[in-house]
């Protein structure tokens, strides 16, 4: 699939042309799957997450959110990464809630022992810190969303954001440390 | 910057941190930090803290990515409450006291299959399929339960049983099946270089298994090579159909919410989906969808390709793929292979122990039509049953004429209408608009009396429409009866089918091919019962239908019809039939067809007028005969020409055509007896009464010894029933001419 094909379809879909959305799905399906699979691989050997289900849910999020004004490929994948984040966090919250007897709607970061955090709590901690980073430095936060939830490589992130690979390396390294210190500080409070 | 108080210092700290982090040497790093932070101990402390946290942060994010990888999206979204168990094999938690998982043996779009050992109720190895996608487990189980009884009824050596279904500890559905150690059928055929006939034999077994399931009310819905495994039992290849009932349980109804499951399904095996399965709105799948998938399987077994390049089509978009599936005719198998590049042709043919031209000529004709009939877009035109498909493949293997045939002209026109329904409907709409427009102007400008007259006309139109509707309903009813009869015939219940059709006076217009062959079978059934008049009705109706087609079967129907009418004593009907036959075939260039029609017109002595009418046919046959090689020709063709010569009064020629064959060893009795009788009648005319008598007696004995059992059993190797009826007609005629008794002891009349 060429980038311009996708861009054309995205624009058609945003205009609400009925066939565009169904045409779009098979086109972006592979790309979405690759994103999901990449992200899984970075999750190392334990691959119990189903990329297919993730892709489907992400696609639902994308099409459900009324503002389908995707300018281009980069914009679309940005939206896709956001959607994946939303799906994963929703699931993690649900699981975390189930474990705690369903009373809380939000995780209290103070309750969590970082070292022994359950997987879903671990993800929730990162998400909370990411939200804070978004207020602090939206550009760095964008890189984290694309990398951590979108599963893109640094090159891809650079391409999509129109910056250099080196800039992305630096943003990612800095963001990780910033977020980790943020989480640690919250936990120690 | 949103937070000016922390902003600059954060940015500065970050810049220094990144600078320091890029310096691997500790001494160099220290020097850099000192110079960069200079007089700001707070800044220095902060950057040092950041550097110290770097490794830990790295680990935290790697673990975070792992954690992300453990979140099971599907189930949690589907709302299944489950305990979070971070064990690696949580998905296999299905009551380990009952199953011991041995190894993973496969993974597909929707599930993972394990080999497992079952402890209770018996110790055995089973295949365990755990459904992977996030699905509503409750409805999957409900759908499976609904079909469980039907599944339990299936007992067939070519069907892998599904023992039970259940839910894993994490809420996923799983299925326990008979363990089949085999490879997919296409791989088996290619690896063992099976030739086309061997492939067809395997395929017939698959069809019979599917038929068995259909008779128990189970539709597979997902027939494809990976669901048909070939195992070896005592060195014999046995195909086994797996996954029965599972596709239905996990498919369910397509709604917006499950659309994505459906997409997944499309992307899994769209090549094997029937046009009606691809339509999202109408999920109206019946046994004939399986027939379509069988057609795709046959296509792939024969050509190594599926009818459509699905991947290519999907690239053009889902709607485009659906449209193609609904409208585009696939290439015939022979054409598909012909169009391939030479190297690929050689490879595909080589796997079938043939060279490319051989393979193409094997596929051309009957096999093309069989495949195309199974792949019809309109399921009414497909084989009605899997057995019907298996039987046609069987006919091909036995070198008999197949039921499938190339589309006739009428059929092609109907297809054109079907394809361009929009255009035809538009023409109708324009006409309707004109009518309405006229109606309005009439009402506005014409006087009341005229308006009244118009009302009467309209009422008349309405009455006509109603009558038409009644006719249509009657026809729909007839159609339903026909398909039921077709099924009964396919199951061998000819008498029941005959009972069902007993009061039917004609066929519905445009019946399916299976319906026609059912009609034919019932006609033959009555003929075998000696109910010649009833049989005659069926065959005359068949002749009417056959007018729309141009194929071998047509002339076979004419052959049956002729003898049945004469045997039933319906001589007026026979006269009429003869005129229809002559009108239809007088100008045929096909010598074989001409000779069959000629023969069926000659079972009664003919008038000078009829002789003149038949002359063109006779000439065609005579010219055609001259081109035949006497050594290799089919002996049956001698009867029409010699009988024709006899009717023309050319006794010498009639005698010469037959005489040489009378001592041949390889002529079947039902063919030999008529020849003897023709010789007998010719000799009688020429005054050679001794020879006439000899041949007559030989023929009479053969006919009376063979007629009865042949008529009852219709054993094809010894002659088809109508050949024996034809022989007896000639016997009676000769008996009168020679003044000898025909000794009708063998008659079933």
């Amino acid at each position: 699939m060429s980038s311009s094909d996708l861009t054309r379809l995205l624009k058609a879909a945003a205009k609400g042309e009925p066939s565009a959305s169904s045409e779009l799905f098979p086109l972006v399906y592979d790309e979405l799957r690759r994103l999901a699979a990449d992200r899984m691989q970075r999750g190392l050997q334990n691959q119990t997450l189903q990329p297919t289900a993730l892709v489907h849910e992400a696609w639902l999020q994308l099409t459900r959110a009324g503002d389908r004004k995707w300018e281009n490929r980069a914009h679309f994948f940005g939206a896709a990464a956001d959607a994946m984040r939303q799906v994963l966090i929703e699931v993690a919250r649900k699981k975390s809630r189930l474990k705690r007897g369903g009373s809380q709607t939000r995780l209290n970061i103070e309750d969590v022992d970082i070292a022994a955090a359950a997987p879903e709590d671990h993800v929730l901690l990162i998400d909370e810190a990411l939200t804070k980073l978004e207020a602090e430095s939206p550009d760095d936060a964008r890189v984290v969303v694309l990398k951590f939830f979108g599963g893109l490589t640094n090159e891809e992130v650079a391409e999509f954001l129109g910056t250099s690979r080196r800039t992305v390396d630096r943003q990612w390294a800095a963001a990780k440390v910033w977020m980790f210190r943020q989480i640690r500080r919250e936990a120690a409070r | 910057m949103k937070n000016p108080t922390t902003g600059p210092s954060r940015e500065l700290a970050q810049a220094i941190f990144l600078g320091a982090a890029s310096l691997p040497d500790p001494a160099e790093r220290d020097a850099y930090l000192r110079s960069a932070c200079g007089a700001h101990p707070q800044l220095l402390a902060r950057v040092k803290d950041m550097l110290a946290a770097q490794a830990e942060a790295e680990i935290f994010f790697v673990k975070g990515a792992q954690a992300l990888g453990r979140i099971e999206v599907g189930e949690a979204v589907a709302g299944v409450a489950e305990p979070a168990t971070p064990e690696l094999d949580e998905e296999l938690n299905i009551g380990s006291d009952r199953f011991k998982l041995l190894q993973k043996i496969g993974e597909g779009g929707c599930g993972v299959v394990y080999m497992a050992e079952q402890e209770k109720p018996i110790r055995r190895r089973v295949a365990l399929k755990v459904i992977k996608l996030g699905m509503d487990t409750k409805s999957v189980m409900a759908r499976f339960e609904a079909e469980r009884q039907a599944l339990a009824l299936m007992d067939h050596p070519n069907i892998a049983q599904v023992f039970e279904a259940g839910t894993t500890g994490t809420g996923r559905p799983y299925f326990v099946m008979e363990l089949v150690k085999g490879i997919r059928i296409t791989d088996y055929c290619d690896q063992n270089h099976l030739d086309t006939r061997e492939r067809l034999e395997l395929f017939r077994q698959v069809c019979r298994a599917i038929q068995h399931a259909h008779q128990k009310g189970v539709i597979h819905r997902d027939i494809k090579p990976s669901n048909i495994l070939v195992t070896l039992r005592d060195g014999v290849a046995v195909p086994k159909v797996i996954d029965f009932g599972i596709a239905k349980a996990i498919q369910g109804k397509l709604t917006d919410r499950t659309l994505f499951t459906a997409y997944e399904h499309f992307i899994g095996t769209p090549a094997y989906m029937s046009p009606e399965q691809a339509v999202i709105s109408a999920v109206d799948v019946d046994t004939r969808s399986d027939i379509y998938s069988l057609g795709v399987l046959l296509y792939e077994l024969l050509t190594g390709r599926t009818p459509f390049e699905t991947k290519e089509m999907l690239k053009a978009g889902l709607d485009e793929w659906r449209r193609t599936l609904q409208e585009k005719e696939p290439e015939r198998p022979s054409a598909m292979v012909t169009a391939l590049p030479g190297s690929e042709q050689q490879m595909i043919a080589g796997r079938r122990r043939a060279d490319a031209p051989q393979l193409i000529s094997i596929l051309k004709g009957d096999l093309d039509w069989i495949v195309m009939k199974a792949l019809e877009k309109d399921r009414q035109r497909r084989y009605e049953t899997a057995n019907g498909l298996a039987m046609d493949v069987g006919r091909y293997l036995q070198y008999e004429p197949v039921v499938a045939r190339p589309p006739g002209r009428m059929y092609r026109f109907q297809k054109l209408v079907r394809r361009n329904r929009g255009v035809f409907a538009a023409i109708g709409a324009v006409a309707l608009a004109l009518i309405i427009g006229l109606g309005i102007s009439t009402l506005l400008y014409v006087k009341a009396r005229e308006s009244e007259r118009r009302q009467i006309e309209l009422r008349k139109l309405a009455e006509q429409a109603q009558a038409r509707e009644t006719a249509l309903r009657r026809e729909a009813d007839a159609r339903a009866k026909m398909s039921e009869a077709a099924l009964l015939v396919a199951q061998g219940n000819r008498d029941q089918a005959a009972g069902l059709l007993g009061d039917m006076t004609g066929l519905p217009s445009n019946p399916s091919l299976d319906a026609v062959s059912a009609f034919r079978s019932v006609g033959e059934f009555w003929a075998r019962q000696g109910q010649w008049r009833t049989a005659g009705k069926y065959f005359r109706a068949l002749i009417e239908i056959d007018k729309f087609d141009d194929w071998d079967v047509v002339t076979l129907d004419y052959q049956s019809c002729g003898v049945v009418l004469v045997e039933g004593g319906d001589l007026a009907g026979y006269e009429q039939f003869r005129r229809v036959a002559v009108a239809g075939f007088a100008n045929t260039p096909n010598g074989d067809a001409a000779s069959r029609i000629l023969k069926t017109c000659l079972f009664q002595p003919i008038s000078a007028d009829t002789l003149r009418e038949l002359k063109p046919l006779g000439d065609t046959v005579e010219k055609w005969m001259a081109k035949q090689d006497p050594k290799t020709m089919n002996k049956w063709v001698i009867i029409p020409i010699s009988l024709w010569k006899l009717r023309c009064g050319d006794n010498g020629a009639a005698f010469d055509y037959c005489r040489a064959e009378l001592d041949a060893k390889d002529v079947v009795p039902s063919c030999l007896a008529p020849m003897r009788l023709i010789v007998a009648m010719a000799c009688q005319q020429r005054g050679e009464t001794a020879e006439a008598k000899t041949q007559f007696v030989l023929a009479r004995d053969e006919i009376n010894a063979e007629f009865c059992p042949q008529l009852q059993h219709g054993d094809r190797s010894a002659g088809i029933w109508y050949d024996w009826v034809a022989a007896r007609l000639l016997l009676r005629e000769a008996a009168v001419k020679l003044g000898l008794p025909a000794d009708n002891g063998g008659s079933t009349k």
Side-chain angles (χ1 to χ4, degrees):
Chain A
M1 172 184 55
S2 83
S3 173
S4 65
D5 280 348
L6 182 55
T7 304
R8 184 180 56 73
L9 274 171
L10 288 170
K11 283 188 174 153
K15 268 187 241 156
E17 286 177 23
S19 69
S21 185
S22 67
E23 262 182 83
L24 195 56
F25 186 79
L27 277 175
V28 299
Y29 185 88
D30 285 348
E31 299 271 338
L32 278 171
R33 259 195 87 104
R34 190 179 59 76
L35 288 188
D38 273 5
R39 226 202 21 62
M40 264 180 40
Q41 255 166 32
R42 269 162 237 178
L44 299 185
Q45 72 276 41
N46 176 19
Q47 302 190 3
T48 55
L49 176 125
Q50 311 93 323
T52 313
L54 178 55
V55 167
H56 290 164
E57 291 302 327
W59 176 256
L60 270 178
Q61 293 282 358
L62 283 178
T63 49
R64 207 186 275 145
D67 59 342
R68 294 189 298 185
K69 290 196 188 66
W70 301 311
E71 295 304 322
N72 49 39
R73 189 181 164 93
H75 190 181
F76 177 83
F77 284 107
D82 281 334
M84 287 191 189
R85 174 183 177 190
Q86 216 171 319
V87 171
L88 288 162
I89 293 307
E90 194 183 304
V91 171
R93 283 223 178 90
K94 206 182 259 179
K95 284 195 170 185
S96 174
R97 201 162 55 233
L98 280 171
K99 249 166 117 180
R100 282 158 226 284
S103 58
Q104 282 168 271
T105 52
R106 246 175 98 90
L107 176 69
N108 253 339
I109 229 158
E110 294 85 338
D111 296 342
V112 178
D113 174 3
I114 302 178
E120 59 275 7
D121 291 345
H122 201 125
V123 173
L124 289 177
L125 287 175
I126 290 175
D127 184 60
E128 301 251 82
L130 180 56
T131 309
K132 292 205 174 80
L133 182 62
E134 266 162 341
E136 194 75 26
S137 170
D139 288 351
D140 288 5
R142 199 78 209 120
V143 171
V144 175
V145 171
L146 289 172
K147 277 198 62 70
F148 190 74
F149 290 103
L152 300 182
T153 65
N154 289 11
E155 281 91 337
E156 286 167 330
V157 174
E159 190 196 323
F160 292 160
L161 295 179
T163 59
S164 71
R165 150 92 200 261
R166 178 146 171 71
T167 308
V168 174
D169 287 350
R170 292 164 59 88
Q171 285 176 305
W172 175 230
K176 275 190 289 193
V177 168
W178 187 92
M179 288 166 73
F180 177 71
R181 290 175 74 231
Q182 180 70 30
I183 290 164
R184 199 172 53 181
R185 205 159 43 234
E186 291 274 357
R189 215 189 259 164
Chain B
M1 203 55 35
K2 283 197 172 170
N3 192 341
T5 57
T6 59
S9 113
R10 187 188 73 81
E11 270 195 345
L12 186 59
Q14 203 158 297
I16 298 171
F17 156 71
L18 287 168
S22 66
L23 299 169
D25 178 48
E28 224 178 304
R29 192 186 271 187
D30 263 339
Y32 168 78
L33 281 176
R34 265 195 302 278
S35 79
C37 299
H40 298 281
Q42 246 187 321
L43 185 61
L44 182 65
R46 184 167 172 180
V47 173
K48 278 194 165 169
D49 184 55
M50 285 170 81
L51 286 166
Q54 201 184 3
E56 234 181 311
E58 196 59 46
I59 293 167
F60 189 79
F61 272 85
V62 168
K63 283 194 174 162
Q66 286 177 1
L68 215 49
R70 279 197 212 127
I71 292 177
E72 299 196 8
V73 175
E75 285 174 10
V77 170
V80 179
E82 52 170 318
T85 44
E87 296 304 318
L88 269 174
D89 57 351
E90 64 174 316
E91 58 185 297
L92 314 178
N93 175 17
I94 51 170
S96 49
D97 55 331
R98 297 186 48 231
F99 296 101
K100 204 166 106 199
L101 294 169
L102 299 173
Q103 68 178 94
K104 186 153 129 185
I105 51 180
E107 186 157 9
C110 63
V112 188
V113 187
Y114 299 92
M115 189 199 311
E117 199 160 74
Q118 188 177 21
E119 304 285 346
K120 291 171 202 166
I122 41 169
R123 195 187 174 93
R124 62 180 166 190
R125 290 205 168 174
V126 294
L128 210 141
K129 182 167 193 160
V130 183
I131 303 304
K132 209 207 271 180
L133 272 178
M135 277 193 236
D136 182 357
T137 306
K138 262 188 206 151
S139 58
V140 169
M141 295 312 294
R143 281 191 295 265
F144 182 79
E145 281 303 322
E147 208 163 45
R148 187 179 211 136
Q149 286 216 307
L151 288 174
L153 285 176
M154 291 198 306
D155 178 21
H156 194 276
N158 299 113
I159 293 178
Q161 280 190 289
V162 178
F163 299 127
E164 58 173 287
T167 314
T168 68
T170 50
R172 294 185 198 181
Y174 68 84
F175 300 93
V176 185
M177 292 175 284
E178 178 184 342
L179 180 66
V180 178
K181 288 179 188 163
I183 57 174
R184 50 176 74 186
I185 185 165
T186 42
D187 292 344
Y188 175 85
C189 290
D190 285 348
Q191 285 169 18
N192 293 286
H193 291 80
L194 296 196
D195 69 15
T196 302
R197 296 186 74 83
E198 291 164 336
R199 283 165 192 249
L200 290 172
E201 289 293 355
L202 270 187
F203 177 74
R204 277 169 84 196
Q205 294 186 48
V206 175
C207 287
R208 285 196 215 103
I210 300 294
Q211 173 75 20
H212 176 83
H214 287 174
Q215 279 171 324
K216 305 288 177 198
V218 182
I219 305 170
H220 192 292
R221 288 160 193 258
D222 196 16
I223 295 172
K224 55 185 176 185
S226 59
N227 277 340
I228 299 163
L229 305 179
V230 175
T231 61
L232 289 179
R233 192 181 299 150
D234 304 328
V236 179
V238 180
K240 281 245 186 200
V241 185
I242 63 170
D243 270 14
F244 257 108
I246 291 175
K248 185 181 182 188
I250 64 179
Q251 268 172 17
K253 209 169 169 224
L254 296 174
T255 61
D256 275 356
R257 195 62 186 75
T258 56
L259 193 60
F260 303 100
T261 315
Y263 273 123
E264 164 66 13
H265 192 85
F266 288 163
I267 285 161
T269 50
Y272 277 76
M273 278 178 93
S274 65
E276 63 268 20
Q277 278 174 297
V279 179
I280 285 202
S281 56
V283 190
D284 167 27
V285 171
D286 63 16
T287 53
R288 290 172 296 185
S289 297
D290 279 353
I291 306 289
Y292 181 91
S293 304
L294 283 171
V296 180
L297 176 65
L298 181 57
Y299 201 107
E300 190 170 349
L301 287 173
L302 294 175
T303 68
R305 294 295 186 99
T306 51
F308 297 112
E309 276 301 317
T310 312
K311 268 196 185 147
E312 288 302 307
M313 273 159 44
L314 277 179
K315 273 190 188 153
L318 208 57
D319 289 337
E320 177 61 21
W321 167 66
R322 268 200 212 110
R323 202 185 58 75
T324 307
L325 206 54
Q326 307 287 335
E327 290 171 14
K328 193 180 165 204
E329 287 297 315
E331 288 282 4
R332 278 176 281 129
S334 60
M336 166 68 92
V337 175
T338 309
L340 291 175
S343 58
E344 206 163 331
Q345 279 184 3
Q346 283 309 328
M347 186 185 74
I348 288 171
R351 286 181 182 153
R352 287 156 184 77
R353 299 207 309 272
D355 58 35
Q358 272 172 346
L359 179 62
I360 291 166
S361 80
I362 290 171
L363 297 179
K364 227 174 220 161
D366 285 352
L367 287 179
D368 275 347
W369 307 131
I370 291 175
V371 170
M372 296 308 277
K373 182 165 154 74
L375 291 180
E376 282 282 359
K377 307 277 180 224
D378 179 355
R379 52 189 172 181
Q380 285 197 324
R381 297 202 67 91
R382 284 178 212 149
Y383 290 97
E384 212 112 16
T385 60
N387 235 0
L389 174 54
M391 275 158 58
D392 230 12
V393 171
R395 282 185 206 111
Y396 169 81
L397 289 172
Q398 306 286 319
Y399 306 100
E400 289 169 12
V402 300
V403 169
R405 59 186 108 164
R409 256 165 305 163
M410 188 64 192
Y411 171 53
R412 273 190 226 113
F413 172 71
Q414 283 163 348
K415 249 194 172 156
L416 185 74
V417 175
R418 203 180 314 134
R419 258 204 302 273
N420 298 295
R421 204 167 263 163
V423 177
F424 282 78
I427 294 170
V430 170
L432 189 69
L434 282 173
I435 290 168
I436 291 170
L438 270 176
I440 289 168
S441 52
T442 310
L443 287 170
L444 281 178
Y445 300 117
V446 179
K447 289 192 176 108
R449 205 171 47 82
E450 282 167 2
S451 165
E452 205 174 293
R453 194 172 51 96
R454 173 118 194 108
Q455 289 302 314
I456 295 168
E457 266 174 33
L458 284 173
R459 200 177 311 136
K460 215 186 279 170
L461 272 177
E463 277 163 11
Q464 279 170 6
Q466 206 175 355
R468 187 167 153 63
E469 201 180 295
T470 313
L472 282 176
R473 206 176 306 129
R474 202 178 299 138
E475 188 172 314
D477 187 45
R479 207 179 283 284
K481 258 192 196 167
M482 288 309 306
S483 34
E484 202 183 330
L487 186 71
L488 286 168
V489 168
Q491 291 169 351
N493 285 327
R494 275 157 213 270
D495 44 354
Q496 270 189 43
L500 187 70
L501 297 183
D503 56 344
M504 261 182 77
T505 45
L507 269 169
S509 61
N510 187 22
S512 77
L513 293 174
D514 270 11
V516 175
S517 59
F519 211 71
R520 184 175 293 122
S521 299
V522 171
E524 291 183 354
F525 169 81
W526 288 121
R528 294 228 179 88
Q529 302 296 312
Q531 301 289 331
W532 305 108
R533 291 275 179 154
T534 314
K537 267 194 233 158
Y538 278 87
F539 282 106
R540 288 181 72 183
L542 275 170
I543 299 295
E544 282 303 304
I545 293 172
D546 288 343
K547 282 180 188 163
F548 299 122
D549 272 304
D550 42 18
W551 185 247
D552 214 30
V553 176
V554 174
T555 50
L556 293 176
D557 280 343
Y558 276 81
Q559 269 185 303
S560 312
C561 193
V563 294
V564 164
L565 291 173
V566 179
E567 182 73 30
D570 183 2
L571 295 183
Y574 182 63
E575 260 320 301
Q576 218 180 343
F577 159 78
R578 190 145 72 175
R579 272 197 294 277
V580 170
V582 172
F585 288 88
N587 298 317
T588 181
N590 179 341
D592 193 17
S595 79
R596 288 180 190 184
I597 296 296
L598 185 64
K599 179 175 147 193
T600 199
C601 290
L602 298 174
F603 288 122
Q604 285 284 299
I606 48 178
S607 66
D609 283 351
T610 315
L611 194 71
R612 218 174 303 120
E613 283 169 22
L614 287 173
K615 186 87 167 55
L617 268 177
D619 290 347
T620 306
V621 174
E622 194 166 357
K623 268 187 225 131
W624 176 66
M625 284 297 290
K627 280 185 269 172
Q628 301 293 307
D629 178 354
K631 281 200 199 86
T632 59
M633 77 179 174
N634 176 345
K635 306 297 178 202
W636 284 101
V637 302
I638 291 165
I639 298 177
I641 187 69
S642 55
L643 194 55
W644 168 245
K645 288 293 168 193
L646 186 74
R647 297 294 184 219
C648 291
D650 188 348
N651 296 313
F655 180 90
D656 291 343
Y657 272 118
C658 292
R659 191 65 192 88
E661 305 299 335
L662 297 184
D663 303 322
K665 296 272 187 303
D666 57 345
V667 183
V668 294
S670 57
C671 179
L672 191 58
M675 285 195 231
R676 290 196 195 286
L677 292 167
I678 291 166
V679 168
M681 286 188 269
C683 289
Q684 178 76 11
Q685 297 285 322
R686 297 204 297 187
E688 300 161 17
T689 47
E691 174 69 1
K693 192 177 172 187
T694 310
Q695 293 300 337
F696 175 83
V697 171
L698 281 170
R700 186 181 67 188
D701 291 350
E702 269 165 5
I703 290 169
N704 287 335
E706 304 271 359
F707 188 88
C708 198
Q710 289 314 324
L711 199 58
Q712 291 303 334
H713 300 116
D715 176 358
R716 277 167 180 257
S717 61
I720 300 169
W721 62 271
Y722 55 75
D723 291 322
W724 285 109
V725 179
R728 199 171 58 164
L729 290 173
L730 292 177
L731 175 68
R732 292 208 199 102
E733 187 187 341
V736 174
K737 284 191 175 149
L738 272 69
L740 293 165
D743 188 14
N744 281 7
S747 168
T748 56
K749 202 168 171 184

